[in-house]
Amino acid sequence: MANLLSVAKLAGVSRATAARAFSSPESLRPETHRRVMEAARVLGFRPNKVAQQLRTRATRMLGVMVPSLDNPVFAEQLQAMEEAARAAGYSLIVTTSGYDPGREEAIVEEMLRQRVDGLALTVAEADHSAVLVKLRRESTPCLLVHNPPVAPCFPSVGVDNRAAMADATRYLIAQGHRRIGMIGGPLLQSDRARLRHEGYREAMEAAGLTPLALIEMPRHTQVALSRLAPALGGTEGLTAVLCTNDLLAISLIGELRRSGRSVPGDLSVMGFDGIELGRHLYPSLSTVVQPRAEFGRVAVDTLLALIRGATPQPLPLPHVLREGESAGALPASRQAPEPYDP
Amino acid sequence: MANLLSVAKLAGVSRATAARAFSSPESLRPETHRRVMEAARVLGFRPNKVAQQLRTRATRMLGVMVPSLDNPVFAEQLQAMEEAARAAGYSLIVTTSGYDPGREEAIVEEMLRQRVDGLALTVAEADHSAVLVKLRRESTPCLLVHNPPVAPCFPSVGVDNRAAMADATRYLIAQGHRRIGMIGGPLLQSDRARLRHEGYREAMEAAGLTPLALIEMPRHTQVALSRLAPALGGTEGLTAVLCTNDLLAISLIGELRRSGRSVPGDLSVMGFDGIELGRHLYPSLSTVVQPRAEFGRVAVDTLLALIRGATPQPLPLPHVLREGESAGALPASRQAPEPYDP
DNA sequence: TTGTACGCGTTATCAA
DNA sequence: TTGATAACGCGTACAA
């Protein structure tokens, strides 16, 4: 492929002049500029970013690692990040880790070798992550997305998971529920799930209610009703369940209805994330909305600030409780025998 | 950051030897190799891919462009592509076009400047796409994903959309339905939607039934029930509806039920794509499954073959009809007055 | 087995 | 306003 030198020759100028035609056209005599551009057109010249990157020591590429793209919460965030990045002249290298620390490690190493200007990572466990330990010794700016800011050296973009789930719990309590449970994916896979459970516990205890242990599902997007069934039914059974993510909630609702139970009649269900789809379901999903589009924007803005050498301290993003049809007031028939006295 | 030369100096060898320690360790005396690696470790040396890319004129990067990541069908395909690519030592630059030809153009230009080794594109309209016209003059291998292989120069990975929708239509006919409609997103946005509608028309006509025009929804992931309601109800109303994608089907089911109609009692609904989520809903989604994981694998394999200089002719991927609960047999009460005679 | 030397396509620093 | 020239970090003939 044609390079600057061949363009320069055809235009009858030096390579330096040809280069300037692209980088600072105003410093050229119009006629010269025109000649160079014409030569470039004739030769089908296209600037080589790899060479630019080598020379300027900046790639204008960001490395993004998410656990999975099967969960719309990550896909929607990625979509927003891509738009924000491109608007700022950056490209995204995208990878998925599957929550696997080994893959996390390999991916980050690969991206460092690629000399990305910055990293936006969502790791499984921010507080004992080998990747983050390693990155602490590197100079490449790194931003955590969704992970709580446990690691003081890395800024983090996300909602306050604990407060958000506490809000959701209080909402159910205000609807009259007393026996409220919580389900999640494999616990060890996510520090966020743990924080959310803490928020649930706090809100329950603050209301004088008994928080239950997290009921673990084998996968973080699909419910095994058998693990939950024992806790349902009877006068002592749960009347409401919080889920650590929307997909789990949707799956739960499906399983419940397929087993002949009604939602929210027999069980109120709340999700977490606020994926777009949840609005369109019937019953529509009651959930805690993470502002995913803003996530992407803020994540990119913060990372670019880091790259510029600033030390941004992003605040937790605001979450919003979206009332849907999947969680409702406690039916009179299921009120607890003992009255509730706050 | 440390470079090969500094490593070489510390190890007491020439730069060439240090380079070989990484590219062909077997050609070094073990002791020499050890010394180099030790020096690299001490200095925190990390090979610079940008320099490698410039020198070898190969980036081992693939450019991927999809219309949107909000639709799980693209996100799930991307996930599969990323895994396949990384397994083969390639990275992915990911972009979204929003079906906007202007953005498509800018994105592809950007990726060519980045010297990606290959492109995997999903364009809005493969047959009058400015991007593809331009790419025809370029030497960078390009693969279409999901787009029908209208452009003879570009291999294409996808299901046979026409046959797939015809299968779905025949399925509904076999269930006893006669008045079957089809809804889709904004028509002009997608050549795939058009092919699917043709498949529907073919199957209807082959059964002696009257195909209807595609009922256009304002967005391709959300139903406006008002546009469909006139065609429902009454003894002449539709008894089944095909949707051009799963999100539309899910949204339709939600709106129908919210309006007091039952699915499939009042209306059978079929989706298209087979996103994972559809299995977990209640009613679970009847749909045509595109093998998304295989999509990713095959797309990457085909593109890599193209890059190697081969001329692969990928066959259409097999689609599978997944029977769910959202489409059922025509209720006796809604049988048409005139009998059906094939 | 190891070293020398050139080139990949830019940007940037000086001079002219 | 334009030109000559040295990096940027690496791969790889070719020579030793």
Side-chain angles (χ1 to χ4, degrees), chain A residues 14-15 17 20 28-29 32 55 57:
Chain A
S14 74
R15 185 174 47 204
T17 301
R20 277 189 278 261
L28 259 55
R29 200 167 47 192
T32 312
R55 178 60 229 224
R57 301 156 146 277

